[in-house]
Amino acid sequence: MARWWQLLLGLWTVMPTWAGDELLNVCMNAKHHKRKPSPEDKLYDECIPWKDNACCTAETSWEAHLDVSSLYNFSRIHCGLLMPGCQKHFIQATCFYECSPNLGPWIRPVTRLGPEAARSGQGQRVVDVPLCREDCEEWWEDCRWSYTCKSNWHSGWDWSRGKNRCPAKARCLPFPHYFPTPADLCEKIWSNSFKASPERQRSGRCLQKWFQPAQGNPNVAVARLFANPAPSWELSYTLTAFSLFLSILS
């Protein structure tokens, strides 16, 4: 009987691990990410919110702001310059992807996502990161008068000249032609890396792709919520029931 009680004590001890702690405060295995998050005092401009704990370096944060960045040799100006507000959203989204240590619950091995993803040279990527409603709506609104030629910027480009160009017969048209709704923009732009959440900022149930540094990082608590495999009351209920079962046996 003593062995049963030792097992129960062990279950209570590992309970925090059950809560998905291994998914918290981590960097993905990707081209420009650090192995572990750490402070970066010199992050540039839109990447500054992550300076206290970042998966990106200062150099990566600078590259995130360039129209044609060496990070992926990708040009955001394939259909001409983006409007300033639209450009800002893409920079923020890049900083979020490269710098955030709060994406653990949504990190997936690239090998499970098809051959084209596997050829990207990255070991991992994120899938269905729940962006807050305002993030998608404001991004879409500020890009309404900018132009693109594709709805999925992750694949299908013409790389014959070393950087992405619009594929043959693809027309440069305003964003709403390729992204009729804010959800379309958030979810299609990078092959479902993001998911449009109905939840609002500071609800504790969605991630913000940018935040005011002085207000603290709201995504820490959201990552912890999504990392839990079951609500804490459910774990407690299971262990309590197991305790009663052992009491009956004794």
Side-chain angles (χ1 to χ4, degrees), residues 171-219:
R171 298 171 61 199
C172 287
L173 295 167
F175 266 58
H177 176 84
Y178 292 100
F179 308 106
T181 68
D184 288 325
L185 175 58
C186 271
E187 296 175 2
K188 292 180 180 180
I189 191 75
W190 287 311
S191 297
N192 300 109
S193 292
F194 301 145
K195 183 176 181 62
S197 172
E199 305 292 347
R200 294 193 173 275
Q201 292 179 358
R202 299 286 171 177
S203 67
R205 296 185 294 273
C206 60
L207 296 181
Q208 295 178 209
K209 66 176 174 56
W210 194 86
F211 53 90
Q212 290 289 346
Q215 297 178 6
N217 184 348
N219 297 334

Side-chain angles (χ1 to χ4, degrees), residues 78-239:
H78 48 272
C79 284
L81 289 173
L82 300 176
M83 297 293 288
C86 182
Q87 174 84 324
K88 185 175 182 178
H89 282 286
F90 277 98
I91 293 171
Q92 290 177 348
T94 303
C95 288
F96 175 61
Y97 176 83
E98 299 291 346
C99 301
S100 176
N102 309 123
L103 301 176
W106 302 276
I107 293 175
R108 301 290 182 268
V110 166
T111 52
R112 296 182 184 177
L113 301 172
E116 187 160 359
R119 286 195 295 270
S120 68
Q122 301 201 154
Q124 296 175 324
R125 58 163 289 201
V126 292
V127 177
D128 289 340
V129 173
L131 286 191
C132 296
R133 181 173 175 175
E134 296 94 328
D135 289 66
C136 294
E137 290 178 344
E138 292 171 9
W139 192 354
W140 185 84
E141 186 65 34
D142 288 341
C143 287
R144 289 187 66 183
W145 310 113
S146 293
Y147 284 69
T148 185
C149 59
K150 290 178 84 287
S151 60
N152 183 355
W153 287 17
H154 231 163
S155 61
W157 296 98
D158 175 2
W159 291 95
S160 60
R161 297 187 183 179
K163 67 178 182 181
N164 62 301
R165 300 170 65 230
C166 294
K169 298 183 179 180
R171 298 171 61 199
C172 287
L173 295 167
F175 266 58
H177 176 84
Y178 292 100
F179 308 106
T181 68
D184 288 325
L185 175 58
C186 271
E187 296 175 2
K188 292 180 180 180
I189 191 75
W190 287 311
S191 297
N192 300 109
S193 292
F194 301 145
K195 183 176 181 62
S197 172
E199 305 292 347
R200 294 193 173 275
Q201 292 179 358
R202 299 286 171 177
S203 67
R205 296 185 294 273
C206 60
L207 296 181
Q208 295 178 209
K209 66 176 174 56
W210 194 86
F211 53 90
Q212 290 289 346
Q215 297 178 6
N217 184 348
N219 297 334
V220 174
V222 180
R224 182 170 295 278
L225 174 68
F226 279 86
N228 290 331
S232 58
W233 65 265
E234 196 172 298
L235 293 174
S236 299
Y237 178 83
T238 301
L239 293 178

Side-chain angles (χ1 to χ4, degrees), residues 11-27:
L11 288 172
W12 283 107
T13 301
V14 302
M15 198 171 168
T17 302
W18 287 10
D21 284 358
E22 70 280 359
L23 300 178
L24 303 176
N25 196 39
V26 296
C27 301

